[in-house]
Amino acid sequence: MELLANLALGFDVALGWQNLLFCLVGVLLGTLIGVLPGLGPVATVAMLLPITFYLPPIGALIMLAGIYYGAQYGGSTTAILVNLPGESSSVVTCLDGYQMARQGRAGAALATAALGSFFAGSVATVVIVLFSPPLTEFAKKFGAAEYFSLMALGLIAAVVLAHGSVLKAVSMIFLGLLLGLVGTDVNTGLQRFTFGIPELADGIGFVPVAMGLFGIAEILANVEKKEGRSVMAVITRLWPTREDFRQATPAVLRGTAIGSILGVLPGGGALLSAFAAYTFEKKIAKDPSRFGKGAIEGVAAPESANNAGAQTSFIPLLTLGIPPNAVMALMVGAMTIHGIIPGPQVMTQRPDLFWGMIASMWIGNLMLVIINLPLIGIWVKLLKVPYRLLFPTILLICAIGVYTLNNSVFEVGLTALFGILGYAFYKFGCEPAPLLLGFILGPLMEENLRRAMVLSRGDPLVFFQRPLSLTMLLMAAALLVIIILPAVRKKREEAFQE
Amino acid sequence: MIRINQDVAAALLFIAFGAVGLYVAWSYPVGTAVRMGPGYVPRLLCWAMIGLGVLVGLKGLGSSGVRVERWAWFPLILLSLAVLAFAGLIERAGLVAATLALVLIGARAGHEFKFAEVGVLAVFLAIGSVLLFKTGLGLPMVGIPGIY
């Protein structure tokens, strides 16, 4: 019954007209930017972060969450209509969604994606409500050693489950950890890696890092591509047929289940969920050859899965304070700026914030369905704006966003620098997401490592003597060993190929 | 001759970061494992960076790998310049001038550049950003120095 009381509190907060408005604005802005080709949720959230800093903490987090689903949703619209995935998790949606659109079933594909996402979002909200309290209780037993081991496990799992080279991803994490150390050392006051620049005394801001690596670098990568637009599909009929419903419904259910589970895992979230759901549908289909030619399951399953995964990835953030993916790393940054330290204490100390945010997730999903199906015409018009006019506009939003954050010219320059670095990473085949995770976790890990070592009087065995800590380290080691085994590695590459 | 593929290039970058970090962190007190000084973790991480860089590099040398695509230097420099111009102008010459500079320089990076079109966009965005950020959100910015 306590659950119901909590939920009531949550809806009380989320249904306040102010928070409803923040949620609506977030969802709309997220969709608006997410629809633009080449801008994924990470870039969108990074770009719009500065706007939310002027809001009260609850409003800001509600709006950011809205931006996240909105961006996710906008990405699928682009994927279906013009075959351009706005973000990596929509790559799968392109396969069958665009084919459906070419067959004149664009409306059905969009409606399936929207309704599937809404269902998945609703289920994922329930999952969060059910699993957060026990996990929070569990997390309260954690000491410094456990936290350090948990973060190590999280980072390693994030690498294993992400795609691309494991070795390079580990290097990117370490680079992120290193960049996270820049600034004044909390224990001694020593200025580390600041090169005598006073602006770096408080460390490198995470907004310039995220905006540079994800926003500017993505513009750079897009600008050099030739502007070749696929023909835009025409929407004739929006509502799916009875036959569509019959085929899509079980796929939505399976996608939701897969997404809800995979979203919680470190490195999971939307992308992995969408890929896994699509592969699964193809495996169990009676006639796998239909996939890639406009099978409605190929839209329904991954779209539900990515939304469920996007939402359940809030669980580790809200209960343990550990961000499982890059978007959640941005959320940690946003919370910290508002003076909220993510972790198990949030639920007890700020129940209004915790439950309000969860309730608003469901409301946000509802808004997406209600608003976006009628608004689809506007998003389509937006897609017709040529990229040569869009990218200077996006660049301007990034620049103004970073500047207004602290009125700091230095941070704008830093953003440009990280943009160049991000472009280098893109050219060298290095994923920037692990770097951002390491960057956010770096200072926390160092602090917990040092504290654990002091508490144990310098006995490094402390990490192995405490059962919880040991379990997590063993899991991390097992993951590393597994991934190095050639057989598993081949399988993993295959899985990401599909 | 060493082929520069993605892995080798990334390795050089990682090793460079580790080496520079180590050089800078050399003077930081390391302390002991019990009382770690502020230099303990940085040094650990820098050595790890160098080690990982070497591993990535060896892997890159051992296989043909993916070649590093040509860099699009022109857009890279222009877009960076555009952002830097914004940074340099925003406090000295105001939001309008900074916006105009960013859009006019940045738009040159695209495949097509029509001055009239970009000019209209720049003016539109300059007015829009002043209205939104200064008039609307009331942020402490200067639109045009001395006027608004």
Side-chain angles (χ1 to χ4, degrees):
Chain A
M1 279 310 97
E2 206 194 331
L3 267 184
L4 287 182
N6 286 332
L7 267 186
L9 170 71
F11 275 100
D12 230 32
V13 173
L15 284 174
W17 68 269
Q18 241 191 342
N19 288 336
L20 271 183
L21 186 72
F22 292 143
C23 187
L24 178 70
V25 172
V27 166
L28 281 179
L29 277 179
T31 317
L32 182 77
I33 308 279
V35 159
L36 306 178
L39 279 176
V42 189
T44 309
V45 175
M47 261 174 67
L48 298 176
L49 258 177
I51 310 179
T52 63
F53 291 153
Y54 299 96
L55 308 179
I58 301 183
L61 291 177
I62 285 179
M63 189 156 147
L64 279 174
I67 291 171
Y68 181 29
Y69 326 130
Q72 195 91 38
Y73 183 88
S76 7
T77 310
T78 327
I80 291 170
L81 288 178
V82 285
N83 201 17
L84 275 176
E87 33 129 351
S88 36
S89 71
S90 314
V91 171
V92 219
T93 311
C94 276
L95 300 175
D96 278 286
Y98 184 61
Q99 290 305 319
M100 279 183 75
R102 283 184 57 189
Q103 296 160 12
R105 289 157 71 208
L110 288 169
T112 309
L115 294 172
S117 295
F118 173 62
F119 174 78
S122 309
V123 173
T125 308
V126 176
V127 172
I128 298 179
V129 170
L130 290 179
F131 286 91
S132 295
L135 255 178
T136 305
E137 281 309 310
F138 181 62
K140 279 183 188 154
K141 298 195 184 84
F142 284 18
E146 279 82 9
Y147 262 110
F148 178 81
S149 304
L150 176 68
M151 286 185 249
L153 171 63
L155 285 176
I156 287 173
V159 167
V160 173
L161 296 173
H163 59 150
S165 153
V166 176
L167 203 54
K168 275 198 266 185
V170 175
S171 313
M172 291 295 272
I173 287 185
F174 274 91
L175 187 53
L177 293 171
L178 196 59
L179 289 173
L181 296 185
V182 173
T184 312
D185 173 45
V186 254
N187 298 12
T188 58
L190 182 80
Q191 306 264 314
R192 293 189 294 187
F193 302 113
T194 54
F195 300 98
I197 303 169
E199 283 91 344
L200 284 179
D202 286 334
I204 301 177
F206 84 100
V207 175
V209 175
M211 200 93 95
L213 288 183
F214 290 91
I216 304 221
E218 276 187 50
I219 298 176
L220 282 166
N222 279 323
V223 162
E224 70 179 63
K225 286 180 202 147
K226 277 263 179 296
E227 193 167 345
R229 282 288 167 85
S230 343
V231 191
M232 173 125 42
V234 190
I235 305 167
T236 40
R237 175 199 151 109
L238 198 56
W239 207 245
T241 60
R242 190 182 287 269
E243 178 64 15
D244 286 339
F245 271 117
R246 201 185 56 75
Q247 284 177 324
T249 309
V252 166
L253 293 175
R254 288 187 291 261
T256 303
I258 292 174
S260 301
I261 297 165
L262 292 183
V264 188
L265 301 181
L271 175 66
L272 179 73
S273 307
F275 273 89
Y278 188 80
T279 314
F280 186 72
E281 282 305 313
K282 214 169 152 185
K283 282 252 158 65
I284 62 160
K286 283 199 194 91
D287 178 16
S289 69
R290 281 198 312 122
F291 282 81
K293 293 178 192 145
I296 195 163
E297 299 97 309
V299 175
E303 277 302 306
S304 318
N306 80 28
N307 209 37
Q311 219 151 310
T312 50
S313 61
F314 275 92
I315 295 180
L317 173 76
L318 291 174
T319 58
L320 308 172
I322 305 286
N325 56 37
V327 178
M328 292 303 125
L330 290 175
M331 295 294 282
V332 172
M335 289 170 96
T336 318
I337 286 183
H338 281 288
I340 304 158
I341 298 147
Q345 72 285 353
V346 173
M347 198 166 91
T348 34
Q349 286 170 8
R350 298 291 308 267
D352 54 329
L353 186 128
F354 184 89
W355 296 104
M357 209 175 144
I358 291 175
S360 87
M361 289 178 185
W362 187 78
I363 296 172
N365 274 293
L366 185 67
M367 283 182 180
L368 271 179
V369 178
I370 299 177
I371 297 163
N372 279 333
L373 284 180
L375 281 188
I376 205 97
I378 295 179
W379 307 138
V380 169
K381 283 222 178 62
L382 200 65
L383 277 173
K384 287 184 179 144
V385 179
Y387 195 68
R388 63 171 189 275
L389 297 182
L390 276 182
F391 81 82
T393 313
I394 299 170
L395 196 67
L396 178 68
I397 301 175
C398 288
I400 296 184
V402 174
Y403 177 72
T404 52
L405 193 61
N406 293 323
N407 283 330
S408 156
V409 167
F410 175 78
E411 292 205 323
V412 181
L414 203 60
T415 310
L417 195 69
F418 274 99
I420 299 173
L421 191 62
Y423 183 70
F425 289 146
Y426 165 74
K427 285 292 178 190
F428 300 164
C430 302
E431 285 276 320
L435 186 147
L436 195 64
L437 277 181
F439 179 72
I440 294 282
L441 290 179
L444 285 172
M445 274 184 96
E446 189 197 12
E447 214 190 307
N448 281 299
L449 173 68
R450 282 163 85 167
R451 197 182 300 154
M453 290 303 268
V454 169
L455 289 175
S456 73
R457 312 221 169 120
D459 185 4
L461 287 177
V462 62
F463 296 105
F464 304 104
Q465 280 158 351
R466 302 181 59 136
L468 271 175
S469 168
L470 177 68
T471 317
M472 287 186 279
L473 284 180
L474 283 180
M475 279 160 71
L479 273 175
L480 265 187
V481 172
I482 289 171
I483 197 66
I484 292 165
L485 294 177
V488 183
R489 201 152 77 191
K490 226 176 123 208
K491 257 250 154 64
R492 175 171 168 274
E493 268 153 28
E494 274 168 22
F496 281 111
Q497 285 289 306
E498 274 189 63
Chain B
M1 194 186 125
I2 297 170
R3 268 166 315 188
I4 294 289
N5 59 29
Q6 286 192 342
D7 285 351
V8 175
L12 292 175
L13 190 65
F14 294 147
I15 294 172
F17 267 106
V20 171
L22 209 54
Y23 175 76
V24 175
W26 205 249
S27 59
Y28 303 160
V30 176
T32 61
V34 189
R35 298 243 165 240
M36 286 184 194
Y40 196 96
V41 175
R43 259 195 225 187
L44 207 70
L45 288 177
C46 288
W47 282 117
M49 277 312 304
I50 294 173
L52 284 164
V54 169
L55 283 179
V56 173
L58 287 177
K59 199 179 140 228
L61 290 175
S63 67
S64 53
V66 186
R67 261 189 54 213
V68 178
E69 271 176 72
R70 270 185 56 143
W71 282 41
W73 287 107
F74 184 63
L76 179 68
I77 293 169
L78 271 179
L79 286 178
S80 308
L81 258 182
V83 177
L84 290 179
F86 179 91
L89 288 171
I90 181 87
E91 282 180 357
R92 287 188 202 116
L95 184 57
V96 170
T99 303
L100 291 176
L102 180 141
V103 176
L104 289 174
I105 300 174
R108 287 291 286 125
H111 284 286
E112 259 183 289
F113 180 83
K114 296 175 191 152
F115 187 77
E117 191 186 64
V118 175
V120 172
L121 177 74
V123 171
F124 172 75
L125 286 176
I127 297 171
S129 48
V130 170
L131 283 181
L132 180 64
F133 292 99
K134 186 171 168 64
T135 315
L137 292 173
L139 299 181
M141 288 177 157
V142 176
I144 301 172
I147 300 176
Y148 183 64

